[in-house]
Amino acid sequence: MWGIIFLLPALIVFCLFLWTPIFKGVIYSFMQVDFVRGNEFIGLNNYREVFANSALLISIRNTLYYMLLCVLIGFWVPSVVAMAISELRRFQGGMRLIVYLPHIVPAVVLYGMWQWLYDPLGPANQIASWLGNHQFMWLTDKSIAMLSIVIAETWQAFGGTTLIYLAGIVGIPKDLYEAAEIDGAGVLQRIRHITIPGIRHIYVLMFIMQLIGTSQGFMTHMALTGGGPNNATLTYMYQIINEAFTNLNYGRASAMGVLMFLVLTSLSMVLYYFQGRSKEA
């Protein structure tokens, strides 16, 4: 009973700020929401309007492309950095602090910094000119705008995930590394045969978390490009934000949110199923 009593405040906050908005979102998805004259039940009209919206396919395609770039570029960086830090004999504490610094800096400062870096006359183009390449329009060129966002977000987010991988590496028995060194195994051999198998379960968990997190990405897109150029960085979540807070159509935004919730829940169940099968094997 005492355990339940101590858990109650956290459970109340959890239900109030997470599950209550979810339930209200489901209800609003069937409503014409008007906070002045009152809500009106309209059935599936919001869902019909969502599927009839020409920007829907654009936002879905951009979101999938964004998720793919994040997996190809950002997913591997934290684990590689964590393995490199774990192999250091000295200065591990200092390196952990350095990789975590982007999490400490406020997001507004980070976005301002990246806008300065990506400026046509900024440092990124200066480096490109030194390497003999022409200047890039990082945030206004449709072909590289999404890539520019992924690079910025990878730098901003890899520190926290690196610490998670480091915690997993610390949990691997040291005897395995000592035995490998005695047998003459090098750094790459230790990483391949000990470290990677030892943190395989973290890879699966981080992959699931990254898919869920990137599918809901919109903050960097809103801050750096505003969904442009020509909707090239308009993600599904950013479209929901526009529907709710620009068009003030909370019913349609709620319907889009419910659809995302169903897709992500199904995706998580499938991934956890395969994770369970992998553990059994």
Side-chain angles (χ1 to χ4, degrees), residues 88-119:
L88 293 176
R89 302 301 182 185
R90 301 174 60 185
F91 308 116
Q92 281 197 19
M95 290 303 300
R96 292 177 184 178
L97 176 62
I98 290 173
V99 300
Y100 195 70
L101 277 178
H103 272 277
I104 301 174
V105 181
V108 174
V109 177
L110 286 174
Y111 295 144
M113 182 193 73
W114 280 104
Q115 285 181 332
W116 169 68
L117 287 172
Y118 284 146
D119 189 270

PDB file of all heavy atoms in Angstrom, residues 88-119:
ATOM      1  N   LEU A  88      39.434   4.660 -24.723  1.00  0.00           N
ATOM      2  CA  LEU A  88      40.431   5.596 -24.216  1.00  0.00           C
ATOM      3  C   LEU A  88      40.957   5.143 -22.855  1.00  0.00           C
ATOM      4  O   LEU A  88      40.200   4.674 -22.018  1.00  0.00           O
ATOM      5  CB  LEU A  88      39.842   7.001 -24.084  1.00  0.00           C
ATOM      6  CG  LEU A  88      39.464   7.740 -25.380  1.00  0.00           C
ATOM      7  CD1 LEU A  88      38.814   9.073 -25.043  1.00  0.00           C
ATOM      8  CD2 LEU A  88      40.689   7.957 -26.260  1.00  0.00           C
ATOM      9  N   ARG A  89      42.231   5.309 -22.657  1.00  0.00           N
ATOM     10  CA  ARG A  89      42.826   4.981 -21.370  1.00  0.00           C
ATOM     11  C   ARG A  89      42.771   6.163 -20.404  1.00  0.00           C
ATOM     12  O   ARG A  89      42.806   5.981 -19.186  1.00  0.00           O
ATOM     13  CB  ARG A  89      44.289   4.545 -21.563  1.00  0.00           C
ATOM     14  CG  ARG A  89      44.461   3.350 -22.492  1.00  0.00           C
ATOM     15  CD  ARG A  89      43.718   2.137 -21.995  1.00  0.00           C
ATOM     16  NE  ARG A  89      43.914   0.974 -22.865  1.00  0.00           N
ATOM     17  CZ  ARG A  89      43.311  -0.187 -22.720  1.00  0.00           C
ATOM     18  NH1 ARG A  89      42.420  -0.337 -21.750  1.00  0.00           N
ATOM     19  NH2 ARG A  89      43.550  -1.186 -23.547  1.00  0.00           N
ATOM     20  N   ARG A  90      42.691   7.370 -20.952  1.00  0.00           N
ATOM     21  CA  ARG A  90      42.653   8.569 -20.129  1.00  0.00           C
ATOM     22  C   ARG A  90      41.631   9.541 -20.710  1.00  0.00           C
ATOM     23  O   ARG A  90      41.229   9.433 -21.864  1.00  0.00           O
ATOM     24  CB  ARG A  90      44.037   9.243 -20.072  1.00  0.00           C
ATOM     25  CG  ARG A  90      45.147   8.361 -19.525  1.00  0.00           C
ATOM     26  CD  ARG A  90      46.492   9.043 -19.636  1.00  0.00           C
ATOM     27  NE  ARG A  90      46.521  10.302 -18.889  1.00  0.00           N
ATOM     28  CZ  ARG A  90      47.556  11.151 -18.907  1.00  0.00           C
ATOM     29  NH1 ARG A  90      48.614  10.884 -19.661  1.00  0.00           N
ATOM     30  NH2 ARG A  90      47.510  12.260 -18.195  1.00  0.00           N
ATOM     31  N   PHE A  91      41.208  10.492 -19.884  1.00  0.00           N
ATOM     32  CA  PHE A  91      40.332  11.603 -20.289  1.00  0.00           C
ATOM     33  C   PHE A  91      38.930  11.150 -20.706  1.00  0.00           C
ATOM     34  O   PHE A  91      38.255  11.841 -21.473  1.00  0.00           O
ATOM     35  CB  PHE A  91      40.955  12.424 -21.422  1.00  0.00           C
ATOM     36  CG  PHE A  91      42.353  12.886 -21.142  1.00  0.00           C
ATOM     37  CD1 PHE A  91      43.413  12.437 -21.927  1.00  0.00           C
ATOM     38  CD2 PHE A  91      42.622  13.735 -20.083  1.00  0.00           C
ATOM     39  CE1 PHE A  91      44.699  12.854 -21.668  1.00  0.00           C
ATOM     40  CE2 PHE A  91      43.922  14.168 -19.824  1.00  0.00           C
ATOM     41  CZ  PHE A  91      44.968  13.714 -20.620  1.00  0.00           C
ATOM     42  N   GLN A  92      38.472   9.996 -20.216  1.00  0.00           N
ATOM     43  CA  GLN A  92      37.111   9.568 -20.558  1.00  0.00           C
ATOM     44  C   GLN A  92      36.069  10.527 -20.006  1.00  0.00           C
ATOM     45  O   GLN A  92      35.086  10.840 -20.688  1.00  0.00           O
ATOM     46  CB  GLN A  92      36.858   8.154 -20.019  1.00  0.00           C
ATOM     47  CG  GLN A  92      37.461   7.045 -20.851  1.00  0.00           C
ATOM     48  CD  GLN A  92      36.848   5.696 -20.533  1.00  0.00           C
ATOM     49  OE1 GLN A  92      35.760   5.618 -19.961  1.00  0.00           O
ATOM     50  NE2 GLN A  92      37.529   4.624 -20.916  1.00  0.00           N
ATOM     51  N   GLY A  93      36.264  11.006 -18.774  1.00  0.00           N
ATOM     52  CA  GLY A  93      35.304  11.933 -18.179  1.00  0.00           C
ATOM     53  C   GLY A  93      35.193  13.222 -18.970  1.00  0.00           C
ATOM     54  O   GLY A  93      34.089  13.727 -19.200  1.00  0.00           O
ATOM     55  N   GLY A  94      36.333  13.763 -19.400  1.00  0.00           N
ATOM     56  CA  GLY A  94      36.319  14.992 -20.186  1.00  0.00           C
ATOM     57  C   GLY A  94      35.632  14.807 -21.528  1.00  0.00           C
ATOM     58  O   GLY A  94      34.879  15.676 -21.974  1.00  0.00           O
ATOM     59  N   MET A  95      35.849  13.663 -22.170  1.00  0.00           N
ATOM     60  CA  MET A  95      35.213  13.403 -23.462  1.00  0.00           C
ATOM     61  C   MET A  95      33.701  13.243 -23.315  1.00  0.00           C
ATOM     62  O   MET A  95      32.942  13.676 -24.177  1.00  0.00           O
ATOM     63  CB  MET A  95      35.822  12.155 -24.095  1.00  0.00           C
ATOM     64  CG  MET A  95      37.249  12.336 -24.572  1.00  0.00           C
ATOM     65  SD  MET A  95      37.413  13.684 -25.768  1.00  0.00           S
ATOM     66  CE  MET A  95      36.335  13.126 -27.083  1.00  0.00           C
ATOM     67  N   ARG A  96      33.260  12.626 -22.216  1.00  0.00           N
ATOM     68  CA  ARG A  96      31.820  12.503 -21.987  1.00  0.00           C
ATOM     69  C   ARG A  96      31.180  13.882 -21.851  1.00  0.00           C
ATOM     70  O   ARG A  96      30.085  14.123 -22.360  1.00  0.00           O
ATOM     71  CB  ARG A  96      31.561  11.677 -20.732  1.00  0.00           C
ATOM     72  CG  ARG A  96      31.937  10.219 -20.863  1.00  0.00           C
ATOM     73  CD  ARG A  96      31.728   9.486 -19.559  1.00  0.00           C
ATOM     74  NE  ARG A  96      32.183   8.102 -19.642  1.00  0.00           N
ATOM     75  CZ  ARG A  96      32.151   7.240 -18.642  1.00  0.00           C
ATOM     76  NH1 ARG A  96      31.681   7.617 -17.455  1.00  0.00           N
ATOM     77  NH2 ARG A  96      32.581   6.014 -18.801  1.00  0.00           N
ATOM     78  N   LEU A  97      31.859  14.775 -21.150  1.00  0.00           N
ATOM     79  CA  LEU A  97      31.336  16.134 -20.998  1.00  0.00           C
ATOM     80  C   LEU A  97      31.274  16.850 -22.344  1.00  0.00           C
ATOM     81  O   LEU A  97      30.293  17.523 -22.655  1.00  0.00           O
ATOM     82  CB  LEU A  97      32.209  16.916 -20.015  1.00  0.00           C
ATOM     83  CG  LEU A  97      31.853  18.397 -19.828  1.00  0.00           C
ATOM     84  CD1 LEU A  97      30.447  18.540 -19.266  1.00  0.00           C
ATOM     85  CD2 LEU A  97      32.867  19.081 -18.921  1.00  0.00           C
ATOM     86  N   ILE A  98      32.304  16.686 -23.164  1.00  0.00           N
ATOM     87  CA  ILE A  98      32.358  17.369 -24.454  1.00  0.00           C
ATOM     88  C   ILE A  98      31.225  16.913 -25.364  1.00  0.00           C
ATOM     89  O   ILE A  98      30.547  17.730 -26.006  1.00  0.00           O
ATOM     90  CB  ILE A  98      33.734  17.134 -25.124  1.00  0.00           C
ATOM     91  CG1 ILE A  98      34.825  17.888 -24.350  1.00  0.00           C
ATOM     92  CG2 ILE A  98      33.713  17.590 -26.582  1.00  0.00           C
ATOM     93  CD1 ILE A  98      36.231  17.594 -24.832  1.00  0.00           C
ATOM     94  N   VAL A  99      30.998  15.587 -25.435  1.00  0.00           N
ATOM     95  CA  VAL A  99      29.953  15.101 -26.338  1.00  0.00           C
ATOM     96  C   VAL A  99      28.562  15.456 -25.834  1.00  0.00           C
ATOM     97  O   VAL A  99      27.605  15.491 -26.629  1.00  0.00           O
ATOM     98  CB  VAL A  99      30.066  13.570 -26.546  1.00  0.00           C
ATOM     99  CG1 VAL A  99      31.402  13.208 -27.141  1.00  0.00           C
ATOM    100  CG2 VAL A  99      29.819  12.820 -25.258  1.00  0.00           C
ATOM    101  N   TYR A 100      28.428  15.737 -24.533  1.00  0.00           N
ATOM    102  CA  TYR A 100      27.105  16.062 -23.986  1.00  0.00           C
ATOM    103  C   TYR A 100      26.816  17.566 -24.037  1.00  0.00           C
ATOM    104  O   TYR A 100      25.680  17.972 -23.807  1.00  0.00           O
ATOM    105  CB  TYR A 100      26.998  15.568 -22.544  1.00  0.00           C
ATOM    106  CG  TYR A 100      25.575  15.540 -22.021  1.00  0.00           C
ATOM    107  CD1 TYR A 100      24.668  14.601 -22.506  1.00  0.00           C
ATOM    108  CD2 TYR A 100      25.126  16.450 -21.073  1.00  0.00           C
ATOM    109  CE1 TYR A 100      23.367  14.559 -22.051  1.00  0.00           C
ATOM    110  CE2 TYR A 100      23.819  16.421 -20.611  1.00  0.00           C
ATOM    111  CZ  TYR A 100      22.945  15.472 -21.105  1.00  0.00           C
ATOM    112  OH  TYR A 100      21.654  15.448 -20.653  1.00  0.00           O
ATOM    113  N   LEU A 101      27.796  18.376 -24.346  1.00  0.00           N
ATOM    114  CA  LEU A 101      27.624  19.835 -24.331  1.00  0.00           C
ATOM    115  C   LEU A 101      26.461  20.330 -25.204  1.00  0.00           C
ATOM    116  O   LEU A 101      25.749  21.246 -24.794  1.00  0.00           O
ATOM    117  CB  LEU A 101      28.926  20.519 -24.756  1.00  0.00           C
ATOM    118  CG  LEU A 101      29.982  20.695 -23.657  1.00  0.00           C
ATOM    119  CD1 LEU A 101      31.242  21.336 -24.231  1.00  0.00           C
ATOM    120  CD2 LEU A 101      29.437  21.536 -22.508  1.00  0.00           C
ATOM    121  N   PRO A 102      26.244  19.781 -26.425  1.00  0.00           N
ATOM    122  CA  PRO A 102      25.108  20.281 -27.221  1.00  0.00           C
ATOM    123  C   PRO A 102      23.770  20.165 -26.511  1.00  0.00           C
ATOM    124  O   PRO A 102      22.854  20.940 -26.787  1.00  0.00           O
ATOM    125  CB  PRO A 102      25.157  19.394 -28.474  1.00  0.00           C
ATOM    126  CG  PRO A 102      26.579  18.995 -28.597  1.00  0.00           C
ATOM    127  CD  PRO A 102      27.076  18.844 -27.195  1.00  0.00           C
ATOM    128  N   HIS A 103      23.613  19.193 -25.583  1.00  0.00           N
ATOM    129  CA  HIS A 103      22.359  19.063 -24.841  1.00  0.00           C
ATOM    130  C   HIS A 103      22.207  20.173 -23.813  1.00  0.00           C
ATOM    131  O   HIS A 103      21.092  20.493 -23.404  1.00  0.00           O
ATOM    132  CB  HIS A 103      22.306  17.711 -24.122  1.00  0.00           C
ATOM    133  CG  HIS A 103      21.738  16.619 -24.972  1.00  0.00           C
ATOM    134  ND1 HIS A 103      20.390  16.413 -25.127  1.00  0.00           N
ATOM    135  CD2 HIS A 103      22.345  15.688 -25.735  1.00  0.00           C
ATOM    136  CE1 HIS A 103      20.186  15.391 -25.938  1.00  0.00           C
ATOM    137  NE2 HIS A 103      21.356  14.930 -26.321  1.00  0.00           N
ATOM    138  N   ILE A 104      23.310  20.736 -23.370  1.00  0.00           N
ATOM    139  CA  ILE A 104      23.269  21.767 -22.338  1.00  0.00           C
ATOM    140  C   ILE A 104      22.902  23.127 -22.933  1.00  0.00           C
ATOM    141  O   ILE A 104      22.220  23.935 -22.306  1.00  0.00           O
ATOM    142  CB  ILE A 104      24.619  21.846 -21.602  1.00  0.00           C
ATOM    143  CG1 ILE A 104      24.945  20.482 -20.967  1.00  0.00           C
ATOM    144  CG2 ILE A 104      24.621  22.924 -20.546  1.00  0.00           C
ATOM    145  CD1 ILE A 104      26.313  20.405 -20.335  1.00  0.00           C
ATOM    146  N   VAL A 105      23.336  23.368 -24.173  1.00  0.00           N
ATOM    147  CA  VAL A 105      23.085  24.651 -24.824  1.00  0.00           C
ATOM    148  C   VAL A 105      21.601  24.765 -25.172  1.00  0.00           C
ATOM    149  O   VAL A 105      21.009  23.823 -25.703  1.00  0.00           O
ATOM    150  CB  VAL A 105      23.942  24.787 -26.094  1.00  0.00           C
ATOM    151  CG1 VAL A 105      23.697  26.137 -26.761  1.00  0.00           C
ATOM    152  CG2 VAL A 105      25.409  24.609 -25.766  1.00  0.00           C
ATOM    153  N   PRO A 106      20.948  25.903 -24.875  1.00  0.00           N
ATOM    154  CA  PRO A 106      19.521  26.070 -25.218  1.00  0.00           C
ATOM    155  C   PRO A 106      19.274  25.920 -26.711  1.00  0.00           C
ATOM    156  O   PRO A 106      20.122  26.285 -27.537  1.00  0.00           O
ATOM    157  CB  PRO A 106      19.213  27.493 -24.738  1.00  0.00           C
ATOM    158  CG  PRO A 106      20.239  27.775 -23.690  1.00  0.00           C
ATOM    159  CD  PRO A 106      21.478  27.043 -24.112  1.00  0.00           C
ATOM    160  N   ALA A 107      18.107  25.393 -27.043  1.00  0.00           N
ATOM    161  CA  ALA A 107      17.774  25.118 -28.445  1.00  0.00           C
ATOM    162  C   ALA A 107      17.785  26.379 -29.296  1.00  0.00           C
ATOM    163  O   ALA A 107      18.217  26.354 -30.458  1.00  0.00           O
ATOM    164  CB  ALA A 107      16.409  24.438 -28.523  1.00  0.00           C
ATOM    165  N   VAL A 108      17.333  27.501 -28.735  1.00  0.00           N
ATOM    166  CA  VAL A 108      17.304  28.754 -29.502  1.00  0.00           C
ATOM    167  C   VAL A 108      18.713  29.155 -29.927  1.00  0.00           C
ATOM    168  O   VAL A 108      18.951  29.592 -31.066  1.00  0.00           O
ATOM    169  CB  VAL A 108      16.651  29.874 -28.671  1.00  0.00           C
ATOM    170  CG1 VAL A 108      16.747  31.200 -29.409  1.00  0.00           C
ATOM    171  CG2 VAL A 108      15.197  29.540 -28.372  1.00  0.00           C
ATOM    172  N   VAL A 109      19.671  28.980 -29.031  1.00  0.00           N
ATOM    173  CA  VAL A 109      21.070  29.301 -29.342  1.00  0.00           C
ATOM    174  C   VAL A 109      21.597  28.369 -30.421  1.00  0.00           C
ATOM    175  O   VAL A 109      22.302  28.789 -31.350  1.00  0.00           O
ATOM    176  CB  VAL A 109      21.932  29.218 -28.072  1.00  0.00           C
ATOM    177  CG1 VAL A 109      23.395  29.480 -28.402  1.00  0.00           C
ATOM    178  CG2 VAL A 109      21.430  30.199 -27.022  1.00  0.00           C
ATOM    179  N   LEU A 110      21.255  27.079 -30.315  1.00  0.00           N
ATOM    180  CA  LEU A 110      21.716  26.109 -31.305  1.00  0.00           C
ATOM    181  C   LEU A 110      21.173  26.428 -32.693  1.00  0.00           C
ATOM    182  O   LEU A 110      21.905  26.380 -33.681  1.00  0.00           O
ATOM    183  CB  LEU A 110      21.293  24.706 -30.880  1.00  0.00           C
ATOM    184  CG  LEU A 110      22.068  24.086 -29.716  1.00  0.00           C
ATOM    185  CD1 LEU A 110      21.444  22.769 -29.308  1.00  0.00           C
ATOM    186  CD2 LEU A 110      23.525  23.878 -30.082  1.00  0.00           C
ATOM    187  N   TYR A 111      19.881  26.767 -32.758  1.00  0.00           N
ATOM    188  CA  TYR A 111      19.300  27.079 -34.065  1.00  0.00           C
ATOM    189  C   TYR A 111      19.938  28.339 -34.659  1.00  0.00           C
ATOM    190  O   TYR A 111      20.196  28.405 -35.867  1.00  0.00           O
ATOM    191  CB  TYR A 111      17.790  27.259 -33.935  1.00  0.00           C
ATOM    192  CG  TYR A 111      17.061  26.001 -33.535  1.00  0.00           C
ATOM    193  CD1 TYR A 111      15.946  26.042 -32.697  1.00  0.00           C
ATOM    194  CD2 TYR A 111      17.483  24.761 -33.990  1.00  0.00           C
ATOM    195  CE1 TYR A 111      15.278  24.883 -32.320  1.00  0.00           C
ATOM    196  CE2 TYR A 111      16.821  23.595 -33.618  1.00  0.00           C
ATOM    197  CZ  TYR A 111      15.725  23.667 -32.781  1.00  0.00           C
ATOM    198  OH  TYR A 111      15.071  22.526 -32.411  1.00  0.00           O
ATOM    199  N   GLY A 112      20.188  29.331 -33.812  1.00  0.00           N
ATOM    200  CA  GLY A 112      20.873  30.526 -34.296  1.00  0.00           C
ATOM    201  C   GLY A 112      22.271  30.214 -34.795  1.00  0.00           C
ATOM    202  O   GLY A 112      22.717  30.762 -35.810  1.00  0.00           O
ATOM    203  N   MET A 113      22.961  29.311 -34.094  1.00  0.00           N
ATOM    204  CA  MET A 113      24.307  28.936 -34.503  1.00  0.00           C
ATOM    205  C   MET A 113      24.297  28.242 -35.865  1.00  0.00           C
ATOM    206  O   MET A 113      25.129  28.537 -36.735  1.00  0.00           O
ATOM    207  CB  MET A 113      24.923  28.012 -33.454  1.00  0.00           C
ATOM    208  CG  MET A 113      26.354  27.583 -33.757  1.00  0.00           C
ATOM    209  SD  MET A 113      26.897  26.232 -32.703  1.00  0.00           S
ATOM    210  CE  MET A 113      25.941  24.869 -33.419  1.00  0.00           C
ATOM    211  N   TRP A 114      23.334  27.330 -36.059  1.00  0.00           N
ATOM    212  CA  TRP A 114      23.297  26.610 -37.329  1.00  0.00           C
ATOM    213  C   TRP A 114      22.864  27.510 -38.477  1.00  0.00           C
ATOM    214  O   TRP A 114      23.312  27.329 -39.616  1.00  0.00           O
ATOM    215  CB  TRP A 114      22.370  25.405 -37.210  1.00  0.00           C
ATOM    216  CG  TRP A 114      23.042  24.251 -36.521  1.00  0.00           C
ATOM    217  CD1 TRP A 114      22.857  23.830 -35.245  1.00  0.00           C
ATOM    218  CD2 TRP A 114      24.053  23.403 -37.076  1.00  0.00           C
ATOM    219  NE1 TRP A 114      23.681  22.777 -34.955  1.00  0.00           N
ATOM    220  CE2 TRP A 114      24.426  22.486 -36.056  1.00  0.00           C
ATOM    221  CE3 TRP A 114      24.678  23.325 -38.321  1.00  0.00           C
ATOM    222  CZ2 TRP A 114      25.395  21.506 -36.270  1.00  0.00           C
ATOM    223  CZ3 TRP A 114      25.631  22.343 -38.524  1.00  0.00           C
ATOM    224  CH2 TRP A 114      25.982  21.449 -37.515  1.00  0.00           C
ATOM    225  N   GLN A 115      21.996  28.479 -38.218  1.00  0.00           N
ATOM    226  CA  GLN A 115      21.654  29.439 -39.264  1.00  0.00           C
ATOM    227  C   GLN A 115      22.878  30.245 -39.678  1.00  0.00           C
ATOM    228  O   GLN A 115      23.067  30.538 -40.857  1.00  0.00           O
ATOM    229  CB  GLN A 115      20.540  30.369 -38.776  1.00  0.00           C
ATOM    230  CG  GLN A 115      19.169  29.716 -38.753  1.00  0.00           C
ATOM    231  CD  GLN A 115      18.084  30.661 -38.287  1.00  0.00           C
ATOM    232  OE1 GLN A 115      18.343  31.583 -37.525  1.00  0.00           O
ATOM    233  NE2 GLN A 115      16.854  30.437 -38.727  1.00  0.00           N
ATOM    234  N   TRP A 116      23.719  30.571 -38.702  1.00  0.00           N
ATOM    235  CA  TRP A 116      24.971  31.287 -39.015  1.00  0.00           C
ATOM    236  C   TRP A 116      25.928  30.383 -39.788  1.00  0.00           C
ATOM    237  O   TRP A 116      26.559  30.808 -40.760  1.00  0.00           O
ATOM    238  CB  TRP A 116      25.609  31.763 -37.711  1.00  0.00           C
ATOM    239  CG  TRP A 116      27.015  32.265 -37.880  1.00  0.00           C
ATOM    240  CD1 TRP A 116      27.420  33.391 -38.537  1.00  0.00           C
ATOM    241  CD2 TRP A 116      28.206  31.643 -37.390  1.00  0.00           C
ATOM    242  NE1 TRP A 116      28.777  33.514 -38.478  1.00  0.00           N
ATOM    243  CE2 TRP A 116      29.292  32.451 -37.774  1.00  0.00           C
ATOM    244  CE3 TRP A 116      28.449  30.495 -36.642  1.00  0.00           C
ATOM    245  CZ2 TRP A 116      30.604  32.129 -37.454  1.00  0.00           C
ATOM    246  CZ3 TRP A 116      29.756  30.177 -36.317  1.00  0.00           C
ATOM    247  CH2 TRP A 116      30.816  30.988 -36.714  1.00  0.00           C
ATOM    248  N   LEU A 117      26.036  29.106 -39.388  1.00  0.00           N
ATOM    249  CA  LEU A 117      26.932  28.180 -40.082  1.00  0.00           C
ATOM    250  C   LEU A 117      26.480  27.945 -41.521  1.00  0.00           C
ATOM    251  O   LEU A 117      27.321  27.851 -42.435  1.00  0.00           O
ATOM    252  CB  LEU A 117      26.982  26.852 -39.330  1.00  0.00           C
ATOM    253  CG  LEU A 117      27.747  26.831 -38.005  1.00  0.00           C
ATOM    254  CD1 LEU A 117      27.532  25.494 -37.295  1.00  0.00           C
ATOM    255  CD2 LEU A 117      29.228  27.081 -38.218  1.00  0.00           C
ATOM    256  N   TYR A 118      25.162  27.862 -41.738  1.00  0.00           N
ATOM    257  CA  TYR A 118      24.620  27.561 -43.058  1.00  0.00           C
ATOM    258  C   TYR A 118      24.401  28.807 -43.903  1.00  0.00           C
ATOM    259  O   TYR A 118      23.936  28.694 -45.048  1.00  0.00           O
ATOM    260  CB  TYR A 118      23.284  26.818 -42.919  1.00  0.00           C
ATOM    261  CG  TYR A 118      23.431  25.363 -42.532  1.00  0.00           C
ATOM    262  CD1 TYR A 118      22.480  24.747 -41.718  1.00  0.00           C
ATOM    263  CD2 TYR A 118      24.502  24.607 -42.986  1.00  0.00           C
ATOM    264  CE1 TYR A 118      22.603  23.403 -41.374  1.00  0.00           C
ATOM    265  CE2 TYR A 118      24.635  23.276 -42.641  1.00  0.00           C
ATOM    266  CZ  TYR A 118      23.682  22.674 -41.833  1.00  0.00           C
ATOM    267  OH  TYR A 118      23.802  21.357 -41.501  1.00  0.00           O
ATOM    268  N   ASP A 119      24.691  29.966 -43.371  1.00  0.00           N
ATOM    269  CA  ASP A 119      24.548  31.192 -44.152  1.00  0.00           C
ATOM    270  C   ASP A 119      25.400  31.099 -45.420  1.00  0.00           C
ATOM    271  O   ASP A 119      26.484  30.517 -45.407  1.00  0.00           O
ATOM    272  CB  ASP A 119      24.990  32.396 -43.316  1.00  0.00           C
ATOM    273  CG  ASP A 119      24.673  33.716 -43.991  1.00  0.00           C
ATOM    274  OD1 ASP A 119      25.545  34.207 -44.753  1.00  0.00           O
ATOM    275  OD2 ASP A 119      23.584  34.254 -43.766  1.00  0.00           O
TER     276      ASP A 119
END
